Amino acid sequence: MSPTGKDRFAVLIDADDAQAAVCEELLAEIAKLGIASIKRAYGDWTTSNLTPWKEPLLHHGIQPIQQFRYTQGKNATDSALIIDAMDLLYAGNVEGFCLVSSDSDFTRLATRLRESGMRVHGFGEAKTPQPFVSACDSFLHTECLRREPDTPAVAKPSSKSPVVKKPPSKPPAETVTLVKPTKAQRQLRSHILNALNELPQTDGWTALSALGSYLKKKMPGFTPADHGASKLGGVIQQLEYLDKWQRPVKGGSVHLYVRKKARETAKAS
């Protein structure tokens, strides 16, 4: 660990595969994990398709690593990144790695680094193959980092023209539409219910922190943003098959606890 008490990370970016547009948000996420003491981006910088990376490299102090394409159709960038990662592993100057790519070729690298006691956090697009996602301690889809476009301002009615109020129309008849849960929602439900069976409980309740650690191990690619929330607690509050208990603690804060609703317990028995 560094003298500051924070973990040091080597941020290795496959620039041929990653998007420069999310670089600032990406580094902000990494800053939550620790210190990005090494920042390198790999690619053939003689090609025009990497031009968007020029400004982020200069602004964030990322070192570009030149890797020529010796053979057409072969990606030498992957090999250069893997070799450097192993050199950094044996140098012993970092506590973890942040691998920025959607390429499954880095699956074995992530596994090897973790076998050596390194923490590995992956960052890639939603198209990233599951083996690479599962090989990392955590995996964040970069689509979650893209800024939402500014909402256009709504024009106010001119003071010169009178505003005519229309009488309220008769509300349409209420219809009920059954929405089938998505695959991601079904997977999350399965893991949460399994967790509540396996994790220690206090009077039948499971702490949100314990549930979060369980999900992190079972679903490395899980992010609350994929379920419409910024934090796990927000996701849990939306789930109708769980009871929630906010337990007050010293300092005026609260800890969230959850348990299966009675009907879920009855289904399992």
Side-chain angles (χ1 to χ4, degrees), residues 124-146:
E125 297 180 1
K127 66 181 181 181
T128 306
Q130 187 61 38
F132 181 32
V133 173
S134 300
C136 300
D137 288 292
S138 70
F139 197 95
L140 179 65
H141 292 145
T142 52
E143 286 87 348
C144 299
L145 301 176
R146 290 174 181 159

Side-chain angles (χ1 to χ4, degrees), residues 177-193:
T177 303
L178 298 178
V179 180
K180 186 177 181 180
T182 64
K183 180 180 179 181
Q185 290 171 333
R186 295 196 301 271
Q187 289 179 336
L188 179 62
R189 177 191 176 105
S190 176
H191 283 299
I192 287 178
L193 296 181

Side-chain angles (χ1 to χ4, degrees), residues 158-256:
S158 172
S159 58
K160 297 180 180 180
S161 57
V163 178
V164 180
K165 294 185 178 180
K166 296 182 180 180
S169 59
K170 184 179 180 181
E174 184 177 354
T175 59
V176 178
T177 303
L178 298 178
V179 180
K180 186 177 181 180
T182 64
K183 180 180 179 181
Q185 290 171 333
R186 295 196 301 271
Q187 289 179 336
L188 179 62
R189 177 191 176 105
S190 176
H191 283 299
I192 287 178
L193 296 181
N194 287 339
L196 298 183
N197 288 331
E198 299 176 18
L199 294 174
Q201 300 177 349
T202 301
D203 296 330
W205 295 89
T206 300
L208 179 67
S209 57
L211 178 59
S213 298
Y214 182 95
L215 292 177
K216 188 175 181 180
K217 294 178 181 178
K218 298 293 184 179
M219 304 175 67
F222 169 78
T223 56
D226 291 340
H227 298 267
S230 59
K231 295 183 178 180
L232 177 60
V235 177
I236 296 300
Q237 294 289 2
Q238 302 174 18
L239 303 180
E240 297 181 355
Y241 51 88
L242 296 178
D243 286 326
K244 299 93 180 178
W245 171 39
Q246 292 186 333
R247 177 186 177 189
V249 295
K250 292 182 179 179
S253 60
V254 295
H255 287 173
L256 182 62

Side-chain angles (χ1 to χ4, degrees), residues 31-210:
K32 299 176 183 178
L33 302 172
I35 300 173
S37 58
I38 298 171
K39 294 176 286 187
R40 299 176 183 176
Y42 298 78
D44 186 354
W45 302 101
T46 63
T47 60
S48 59
N49 61 305
L50 294 186
T51 301
W53 276 100
K54 181 178 180 181
E55 184 176 346
L57 293 179
L58 295 174
H59 183 72
H60 297 288
I62 302 172
Q63 181 184 4
I65 305 297
Q66 171 61 31
Q67 185 58 52
F68 292 104
R69 297 180 181 179
Y70 301 114
T71 304
Q72 189 66 27
K74 296 293 184 179
N75 190 0
T77 298
D78 294 1
S79 299
L81 190 155
I82 292 170
I83 292 172
D84 275 9
M86 298 308 296
D87 287 343
L88 292 169
L89 169 65
Y90 291 117
N93 296 325
V94 295
E95 285 73 47
F97 289 79
C98 295
L99 304 179
V100 185
S101 179
S102 305
D103 193 341
S104 62
D105 288 347
F106 295 113
T107 300
R108 178 54 186 149
L109 172 63
T111 304
R112 177 65 181 84
L113 294 173
R114 291 182 66 191
E115 287 174 352
S116 297
M118 293 286 111
R119 292 172 57 197
V120 179
H121 300 281
F123 299 84
E125 297 180 1
K127 66 181 181 181
T128 306
Q130 187 61 38
F132 181 32
V133 173
S134 300
C136 300
D137 288 292
S138 70
F139 197 95
L140 179 65
H141 292 145
T142 52
E143 286 87 348
C144 299
L145 301 176
R146 290 174 181 159
R147 296 175 179 173
E148 295 294 332
D150 295 333
T151 304
V154 178
K156 296 182 179 179
S158 172
S159 58
K160 297 180 180 180
S161 57
V163 178
V164 180
K165 294 185 178 180
K166 296 182 180 180
S169 59
K170 184 179 180 181
E174 184 177 354
T175 59
V176 178
T177 303
L178 298 178
V179 180
K180 186 177 181 180
T182 64
K183 180 180 179 181
Q185 290 171 333
R186 295 196 301 271
Q187 289 179 336
L188 179 62
R189 177 191 176 105
S190 176
H191 283 299
I192 287 178
L193 296 181
N194 287 339
L196 298 183
N197 288 331
E198 299 176 18
L199 294 174
Q201 300 177 349
T202 301
D203 296 330
W205 295 89
T206 300
L208 179 67
S209 57

